Amino acid sequence: MINGTTRTHIDLFSGIGGFALAARWAGVETVAFCEIEKYAQRVLRKNFPEIRILEDVRSFPAAQFRQPWLITGGYPCQPFSQAGKRRGTEDDRHLWPEMFRIIRSSRPVWVLCENVAGHITMGLDEVISDLEGEEYSVQSFVIPAQAVDARHRRDRVWIVGNSKSRSCNEWSSRRYENRKLQISKLRNSSGTIAFANSDSRRCQECESKTKSFPDPNIESQRDGRLWLAEPDVGRVAHGIPNRVDRLKGLGNAIVPQVAYQIIRTMIEAEEQFIGEQHENQP
């Protein structure tokens, strides 16, 4: 709750519901999904039966969801992924403009996005510029799955935006700026973390730091153990029903434990400010 109002969440490109799971853990209420894949929709209906699912982000009725607390989205990575052709804005799957349209119309307090590390050298600057143009303070981090003790690396870039266009939210932007180092503690074994904001060198700094990561197709080592670049999905063996759909769902999924830590930092920044306001009252 913030000022007696429930913190609400819209989840775009929902997949199998990683962001919604993280939001639930943090006490944030998800009010809408947007997911086009039929198998992922089935998973969402099973695990979140009370939440509305809209199918196509290109026709998402943003006007129906004004001023949510949080909008999340792992927009398609294929335009930026080093595993593909990296066609960027020429790729039909380049759907960040649709997510940005929804953000611009709905005006959430917070924005949280996730994508592959290859996004740093292609497309990230556009995302940051778009959000800053709508008066969001933006910060991005490269946080791997192993930062939350998963047994694989899975480097991903996480983009956080906070609205500073409404005076009532300026405090959360300032407080988040003071608390963002909590997120920085989620780092890989080498201590490397990349970030970009309006006060940094943006992608140049991100790119130089990301180049220090090992080849993403090679196992990395931590504490004498080998760490896979992506998770072992041996449980999805031949003969398992919907095997291909399950593999796709896992491959596209976020790590909800990382998202939870970021969302908790947003909430703690707000709660700290509210507590200080009460203390300063005569």
Side-chain angles (χ1 to χ4, degrees), residues 76-220:
C77 65
Q78 292 90 342
F80 324 110
S81 175
Q82 294 177 348
K85 296 181 179 180
R86 308 198 78 199
R87 298 180 62 231
T89 57
E90 296 180 2
D91 195 309
D92 292 340
R93 296 162 293 187
H94 178 53
L95 293 176
W96 161 251
E98 293 298 332
M99 182 170 181
F100 181 54
R101 172 187 65 82
I102 295 166
I103 292 168
R104 189 167 48 191
S105 177
S106 295
R107 304 302 304 175
V109 177
W110 294 94
V111 175
L112 177 57
C113 309
E114 183 261 15
N115 216 287
V116 294
H119 193 20
I120 292 171
T121 55
M122 177 177 285
L124 178 58
D125 222 23
E126 173 193 353
V127 173
I128 293 173
S129 177
D130 285 346
L131 290 173
E132 288 180 343
E134 289 298 314
E135 299 190 35
Y136 281 83
S137 177
V138 186
Q139 183 86 10
S140 64
F141 303 84
V142 172
I143 305 176
Q146 69 192 52
V148 289
D149 293 330
R151 293 178 177 263
H152 62 283
R153 208 172 66 241
R154 197 177 181 90
D155 296 322
R156 293 295 185 268
V157 60
W158 300 79
I159 305 161
V160 180
N162 178 247
S163 173
K164 56 184 180 181
S165 61
R166 299 194 301 267
S167 59
C168 61
N169 291 322
E170 289 180 358
W171 58 265
S172 57
S173 177
R174 294 195 303 271
R175 289 297 166 183
Y176 178 72
E177 194 71 15
N178 293 334
R179 298 295 293 270
K180 68 189 178 186
L181 290 179
Q182 293 183 19
I183 297 175
S184 298
K185 293 177 182 177
L186 298 174
R187 57 183 70 239
N188 62 19
S189 57
S190 66
T192 303
I193 189 162
F195 61 91
N197 63 18
S198 57
D199 298 320
S200 71
R201 289 172 293 179
R202 292 192 184 176
C203 294
Q204 291 89 342
E205 183 170 350
C206 294
E207 181 178 359
S208 65
K209 292 187 177 182
T210 304
K211 286 179 180 177
S212 66
F213 293 162
D215 186 326
N217 297 316
I218 300 175
E219 293 177 335
S220 61

Side-chain angles (χ1 to χ4, degrees), residues 6-10 28-31 66-71:
T6 301
R7 292 184 174 95
T8 56
H9 166 223
I10 295 172
V28 177
E29 180 185 354
T30 303
V31 296
R66 293 288 297 169
Q67 298 183 351
W69 184 75
L70 172 67
I71 286 183

